[in-house]
Amino acid sequence: MLIISNDVALHLICNHYEFRQMQFWKNSMTLEDKIAAANGRPTGFDYLRLALALSVVAVHIFQTGLGDEAASAYLTPVVRPLVACILPMFFALSGFLVAGSLVRTQTLPEFFALRIIRLAPALIAEVVLSAFVIGALFTALPLSEYFSHPKFWAYLLNIIGYIHFTLPGVFLDNPRPNMVNQQLWTIPWELDCYIVLGALAFAGLKKSRTLLIVAIVAAHIFAMYWYSVHEAKSPLTAKAAVLPISFLVGVLFYFYASKIKWSFALFGIALAVSYLLLRFPNGDLVVAVPLTYVTVFLGVANPARNKLMLSGDYSYGIYLYGFPLQQAFAHLWPGLNLGSAAAVVATVCFAAFSWWCVERPALGARKLLKKIKWPARLRLSAPDRTVMEIEDAAVRK
């Protein structure tokens, strides 16, 4: 009969447990593996974009129907993390996907041109429709005075990212008064993120990630300093400085996709940590890393494709048209009512129009960019081996 002492048995059990844990960790999938398993196009990002866009519209239902103060009664501290996470997740998702676009791009002019093709046409269409149709229908001023007003012409500067929220005489008596396009405040932040990423790429980001890590650390330090001396304007959403930080962390996750594990355990931990951090206003400043993991974990998942929901990328159109249409319906039927629901339906319809009639045709211009012979001095350095390995499995945007 073999007799094993308690110490020996405990040692064997511990070694076996550690071995199993090491094997599990070694065999578990990475973000890169999940992307490759979906043939480079996981549907998780598509569903996530749509869900985040509709979440923005859902939050604006309370603001446009009741006004900011009344909406705050619904958005309690317990609910705040569910609202505050939306925009950082949007920017983290954007950072991850745009990093893939950067890796596949050979020159900076091509990279920026691709960004313009994706964003500008739909934005121009929405601004023109808001100014010439919605504004003209709902202004309290005579049309001759409305179209000649300086605010009208200033509003058109939204086309180039110089944001103006108001049109003369429009929505003056709404629960959320004198506001046409509140959602556009994130556009300059998104453009700044592209500029920073382009600068990092020019400085050699494709070969070295050190620059990116330094930029993320510096952004965290600056944000902490800034908000130590400045008060945040809105307690309902995450602080604005969190958006570019989340974007950069999303870029970092792309470049380390072959190293980061896709784990339900890590997802649960990141989700819990993100929620707790967002319960406290200053916690926003350090939420980017766990919240980006939550975002990318969901994004690289590959649930079955719903042909109707994913027949097009409607998220950008929902983001653009949601607030002005909700303001229009709130002007006619203030409060939370059937008008609020009708505004959501109208938003989805306009988003479909935006995708099929504006965005998708504009994306055809990408083929022309490929034909341009860019000067050799404008070429970006080639990516290192790790980045090249995940390029074939990259999520395209």
Side-chain angles (χ1 to χ4, degrees):
M1 184 176 181
L2 181 62
I3 300 176
I4 302 177
S5 69
N6 290 339
D7 290 341
V8 173
L10 182 61
H11 179 71
L12 291 173
I13 293 172
C14 289
N15 283 345
H16 175 73
Y17 176 76
E18 290 177 1
F19 174 77
R20 291 289 298 274
Q21 289 292 97
M22 290 175 63
Q23 287 298 109
F24 172 78
W25 191 254
K26 182 179 179 181
N27 295 331
S28 61
M29 299 184 75
T30 64
L31 299 180
E32 175 191 339
D33 295 332
K34 291 292 293 183
I35 295 172
N39 295 320
R41 195 65 173 87
T43 57
F45 283 111
D46 299 319
Y47 283 113
L48 188 57
R49 272 195 299 242
L50 192 59
L52 290 173
L54 289 171
S55 296
V56 172
V57 173
V59 173
H60 288 162
I61 286 176
F62 294 93
Q63 291 181 303
T64 57
L66 302 175
D68 285 343
E69 291 187 10
S72 299
Y74 288 89
L75 303 176
T76 62
V78 175
V79 177
R80 180 187 183 267
L82 304 179
V83 176
C85 73
I86 297 172
L87 292 180
M89 289 181 71
F90 246 135
F91 273 71
L93 183 152
S94 178
F96 190 89
L97 298 182
V98 172
S101 176
L102 176 68
V103 167
R104 296 186 296 273
T105 302
Q106 295 184 343
T107 67
L108 276 181
E110 183 183 354
F111 170 72
F112 286 120
L114 287 171
R115 295 298 92 215
I116 292 172
I117 289 172
R118 183 65 190 95
L119 296 183
L123 176 62
I124 292 170
E126 190 278 330
V127 170
V128 170
L129 285 173
S130 295
F132 286 91
V133 179
I134 295 178
L137 288 173
F138 289 94
T139 184
L141 302 177
L143 289 182
S144 59
E145 185 177 344
Y146 170 77
F147 285 115
S148 63
H149 200 287
K151 280 189 176 182
F152 172 84
W153 296 104
Y155 185 85
L156 297 180
L157 294 175
N158 287 322
I159 290 172
I160 60 173
Y162 185 29
I163 304 303
H164 292 74
F165 300 110
T166 63
L167 282 167
V170 179
F171 303 143
L172 299 180
D173 299 321
N174 276 33
R176 182 69 173 90
N178 199 32
M179 183 69 69
V180 178
N181 261 324
Q182 178 178 294
Q183 82 286 4
L184 292 187
W185 74 269
T186 63
I187 291 290
W189 289 96
E190 183 86 4
L191 296 177
D192 289 344
C193 287
Y194 297 157
I195 293 171
V196 170
L197 182 58
L200 291 173
F202 183 77
L205 174 61
K206 284 189 176 183
K207 281 192 172 182
S208 174
R209 304 181 190 92
T210 304
L211 288 170
L212 180 59
I213 296 172
V214 170
I216 291 171
V217 173
H220 274 94
I221 293 172
F222 178 79
M224 291 177 185
Y225 165 75
W226 178 266
Y227 288 109
S228 68
V229 295
H230 296 85
E231 185 178 355
K233 293 182 178 180
S234 173
L236 300 178
T237 59
K239 292 178 170 66
V242 179
L243 305 186
I245 295 175
S246 298
F247 181 92
L248 291 176
V249 175
V251 174
L252 184 70
F253 271 52
Y254 177 85
F255 279 94
Y256 280 96
S258 62
K259 306 295 183 183
I260 301 173
K261 299 296 180 179
W262 190 83
S263 162
F264 278 99
L266 289 177
F267 171 74
I269 293 171
L271 187 63
V273 171
S274 298
Y275 179 83
L276 291 174
L277 288 174
L278 291 171
R279 283 293 304 270
F280 306 97
N282 290 332
D284 297 1
L285 302 179
V286 290
V287 79
V289 172
L291 196 56
T292 298
Y293 186 87
V294 171
T295 303
V296 178
F297 176 92
L298 295 173
V300 299
N302 194 39
R305 177 174 291 273
N306 182 291
K307 293 183 179 180
L308 177 60
M309 292 178 63
L310 302 186
S311 58
D313 184 2
Y314 306 122
S315 57
Y316 189 36
I318 290 173
Y319 159 79
L320 287 176
Y321 287 98
F323 196 87
L325 288 174
Q326 287 176 301
Q327 282 287 71
F329 278 85
H331 182 84
L332 299 173
W333 301 286
L336 301 180
N337 48 45
L338 289 177
S340 304
V344 177
V345 174
T347 296
V348 173
C349 293
F350 270 80
F353 154 79
S354 179
W355 171 253
W356 291 108
C357 298
V358 181
E359 297 168 58
R360 193 170 184 269
L363 291 176
R366 292 182 299 184
K367 296 178 181 179
L368 299 177
L369 291 178
K370 298 297 182 182
K371 298 180 181 180
I372 298 177
K373 302 295 182 181
W374 302 101
R377 64 179 180 274
L378 296 178
R379 291 186 175 274
L380 297 170
S381 57
D384 62 19
R385 183 176 179 181
T386 304
V387 174
M388 290 177 69
E389 287 173 353
I390 71 171
E391 184 178 357
D392 291 337
V395 180
R396 297 192 178 276
K397 183 180 179 185

